Amino acid sequence: MTSTQKRNSTSVRPKASVPPIVLLLIGLGVVTGISWLKGNIFSPSSQSLNAGVLKDRMSLGNKLLIEADATPEKRAGVAAFAKGDFEGAIAQFEASLRKRQNDPETLIYLNNARVDDTALRIAVGVPIGSNLNVAQEMLRGVAQAQDEVNRNGGINGVPLQVEIVNDENNPEIVKQVATELVKDSRILAVVGHNASNASLVAAPIYQQGQLVMVTPTSFANNLSGFGSYVFRAVPTTRLMAEPLAQYVVGTTRKTNIAVCYDSQAPDNVSFKDEFVAALVAQGGKLVPTVCDFSTPNFNPTTAIAQAVSSGAEGLLVSPHIDRLDRAIELARANQGRLALLGSPTLYTIKTPQSGQADMNGLVLPVPWHPTAFADHPFAINAKYRWGGAVNWRTAMAYDASRAIIKGLEEDKTRSGLQNVLRSPAFSASGAGDPVKFLPSGDRLGQAVLVKVQPSGSGYDFVPIRP
C-alpha cells in the first residue's frame, strides 16, 4: 500500500446445404455452450469469482463486510478509510465502538487505521455470509489479540494489521481466497478457517504456498499431520471425545448410545468416530441407526423413533455448524426421551436460545470455558472489552493469534514463522493453557465438559464439575 492509499484497487445469396452431421455437431456445441454458461456464469450457485468480487470479500477497513447492526459512524469510518482519510476513520470507528462495544470488525478496522505501511499483516478467514454469530465469535479473539499487542508497542515495536476475509465456510470460495492470500506477500499468516471442510480445502493451498495457517475451530482428524505449515489451536478430536464417553458411561451409567451426525462435516465425522471408539473402550455400545443431518429427507421424528425402538438410552448429536437447525429439530422431536450428548459444534448461543427446554441436559466437550478460567487475564479483559463473557471460539481464535504473534517476534518471514511454531520449545501465552503444538501441528490441550441448564430467564452452558 502507498501512504496515500493506506498508511493502507439487402439480399443474400443462397448458401449450399449443410450436411446433417455438421448440423448435429453444431447443435451439440450450442447445447454444451449453454450448459457451461448456465453452470459457470448464470447459475446463482456458481462460486467462480472474478478478481473484483473476490476483493469484495476482503477488507482492512475500506469495505464493510458485516452489514448487520452497522452504526452510521462505522459506515462513515469505512468510507473515510477507503478515501485514505485515516484520521477521520479513527474518529468514526472510535465513536462506533462507544455505541457498540462488542463489534470486533470495528475494533480491527480501528487498529488498522492507526498503523502505517511498516505494519506486519495477517489475515483471518471467517464465515460472515453463512454464520455471522460464529464469524463474530472468531473475530473477537483476533481483535482482542491485535488490540493488546498494538497497545503494548507492537511486535518488537512493529504494529499488527489484520485483513478480514469472508469465506462463508464454502469450499469453492475458500479455494479462491486462500490462493489470493498466498499470492499477497504482505500476508504472513492466516487465522482460519472455521468449518473443517473449509480448512481441509485451504490447507493444501497454504502448504504449497508456504503460508502458515492456524485454524482455531477445525477438529477433523484429516488435518492432523497435514503439512508443516498447518496448525490447530484446538486439541485433537480424541481429546475432546474421550471425556464425553467416560462421562456418559461412568457417570450417567448409560451404555447404549445412538448417533446422529453430518456426513458432509469432516470434523463431526471425526468426532463421531472418536466418540464411538471411546464409548466401546469404556464398555458402552453403539446402537445402530440411520441418522444423517446432511440428507435431504432427514426426518427428526423418524430418527428418534428408530433410536428409541432400538434400545438407545442416549443420543450423540454431531451437526455441521451451518446446519444447527436440524439438530435443534431433533432435540424437539426427542421430547426428553434420550439423554443428549453433543460435539463442540453445538456450543453456540443459538443452541440454548432456540432449543430452550428441549436442549436441557445436553452435555458436550469444549476446549475452553469462561468460568473454568475466570481469573485468567484473557477472560477478564474479554468481559471488559466485549461487555460480557465469550466462548471457546473466541478463546481459540485469540490463541491462534497469540501463537502467530509470538512466532513473529522471533522471525517475520513466512518460512521463519513456520520454523518457530514447529520448534518443540515453542510456547505462547493464550486464553488458558499455554499454546504448544505437537509435531503433527495439533494443539496440546484438554476438554471441559459443559451441560445446558436453566440460567436466569433462559438456558446456558454450565461446566460440569469433576
Side-chain angles (χ1 to χ4, degrees):
M1 294 180 299
T2 65
S3 58
T4 300
Q5 292 172 319
K6 170 75 187 82
R7 278 174 312 139
N8 82 293
S9 58
T10 223
S11 62
V12 294
R13 295 174 59 185
K15 296 181 180 178
S17 60
V18 180
I21 186 63
V22 175
L23 290 173
L24 177 61
L25 291 174
I26 292 172
L28 289 173
V30 169
V31 170
T32 302
I34 291 173
S35 298
W36 184 91
L37 288 171
K38 288 175 68 177
N40 291 276
I41 296 178
F42 300 117
S43 172
S45 63
S46 172
Q47 300 297 341
S48 181
L49 307 173
N50 61 43
V53 174
L54 188 59
K55 286 295 186 182
D56 286 342
R57 292 184 171 275
M58 304 178 173
S59 178
L60 291 163
N62 55 310
K63 301 182 191 73
L64 183 64
L65 298 182
I66 300 178
E67 292 277 353
D69 301 321
T71 66
E73 292 83 1
K74 181 179 181 179
R75 294 182 185 277
V78 168
F81 195 114
K83 291 188 298 184
D85 176 12
F86 300 108
E87 294 302 321
I90 291 169
Q92 293 292 347
F93 289 143
E94 288 176 339
S96 182
L97 283 171
R98 286 193 289 270
K99 285 186 175 181
R100 288 200 63 227
Q101 73 174 96
N102 68 338
D103 181 359
E105 183 185 28
T106 300
L107 183 59
I108 289 172
Y109 290 170
L110 171 60
N111 276 295
N112 288 347
R114 286 172 169 164
V115 305
D116 58 27
D117 280 342
T118 65
L120 301 176
R121 187 183 300 174
I122 65 172
V124 53
V126 291
I128 293 170
S130 62
N131 201 315
L132 181 56
N133 281 336
V134 167
Q136 290 179 316
E137 288 167 358
M138 294 172 65
L139 288 176
R140 288 188 184 107
V142 178
Q144 187 167 334
Q146 179 197 25
D147 193 57
E148 287 176 0
V149 71
N150 284 0
R151 285 178 180 272
N152 289 318
I155 301 169
N156 296 333
V158 183
L160 179 66
Q161 193 177 60
V162 176
E163 183 169 28
I164 302 175
V165 181
N166 172 23
D167 62 33
E168 297 191 21
N169 272 339
N170 183 307
E172 288 305 313
I173 296 175
V174 170
K175 284 181 187 177
Q176 295 171 75
V177 298
T179 301
E180 193 72 15
L181 293 174
V182 166
K183 290 192 298 185
D184 185 352
S185 61
R186 287 290 307 272
I187 301 296
L188 298 175
V190 178
V191 176
H193 296 258
N194 169 224
S196 288
N197 56 340
S199 292
L200 283 167
V201 166
I205 298 172
Y206 294 135
Q207 180 66 29
Q208 183 176 0
Q210 298 184 328
L211 177 61
V212 164
M213 170 186 112
V214 185
T215 171
T217 56
S218 297
F219 286 93
N221 285 343
N222 314 50
L223 285 168
S224 182
F226 191 96
S228 58
Y229 282 81
V230 178
F231 300 85
R232 288 197 281 188
V234 286
T236 64
T237 306
R238 180 179 59 81
L239 293 176
M240 293 286 102
E242 284 183 347
L244 183 62
Q246 292 166 0
Y247 173 82
V248 70
V249 175
T251 302
T252 71
R253 303 296 178 184
K254 298 183 187 301
T255 55
N256 296 332
I257 309 299
V259 171
C260 195
Y261 73 109
D262 193 312
S263 63
Q264 302 306 306
D267 48 352
N268 282 285
V269 172
S270 294
F271 187 85
K272 179 263 297 183
D273 291 343
E274 293 288 1
F275 173 80
V276 170
L279 175 72
V280 173
Q282 292 292 319
K285 175 185 175 183
L286 173 66
V287 176
T289 55
V290 178
C291 188
D292 186 344
F293 290 117
S294 70
T295 58
N297 60 346
F298 170 74
N299 187 311
T301 303
T302 301
I304 292 295
Q306 182 185 15
V308 171
S309 64
S310 298
E313 301 169 286
L315 177 65
L316 176 71
V317 183
S318 194
H320 187 282
I321 187 63
D322 294 336
R323 284 188 279 273
L324 292 181
D325 287 339
R326 292 196 165 190
I328 293 171
E329 290 170 6
L330 187 71
R332 288 186 181 130
N334 180 47
Q335 296 181 338
R337 285 175 285 181
L338 301 174
L340 295 179
L341 312 168
S343 69
T345 302
L346 277 168
Y347 194 109
T348 73
I349 191 171
K350 187 174 186 177
T351 300
Q353 284 189 349
S354 298
Q356 293 291 310
D358 296 314
M359 284 291 184
N360 189 28
L362 168 70
V363 177
L364 54 88
V366 290
W368 185 92
H369 191 276
T371 59
F373 296 94
D375 297 328
H376 193 281
F378 167 79
I380 295 171
N381 293 337
K383 191 171 185 179
Y384 171 79
R385 163 55 66 188
W386 308 115
V390 295
N391 70 18
W392 72 265
R393 290 183 187 85
T394 299
M396 295 300 101
Y398 177 85
D399 282 4
S401 304
R402 286 293 310 153
I404 292 169
I405 289 168
K406 178 66 174 178
L408 290 174
E409 288 177 358
E410 298 187 39
D411 197 308
K412 296 182 175 64
T413 66
R414 288 181 174 185
S415 60
L417 172 62
Q418 175 260 340
N419 287 330
V420 172
L421 297 182
R422 284 281 162 193
S423 169
F426 176 79
S427 178
S429 60
D433 297 328
V435 185
K436 298 180 180 180
F437 298 110
L438 297 166
S440 61
D442 296 318
R443 167 82 177 272
L444 278 170
Q446 56 189 347
V448 177
L449 290 181
V450 297
K451 179 187 286 190
V452 174
Q453 294 180 348
S455 177
S457 58
Y459 292 83
D460 203 355
F461 294 98
V462 179
I464 297 174
R465 302 298 181 187

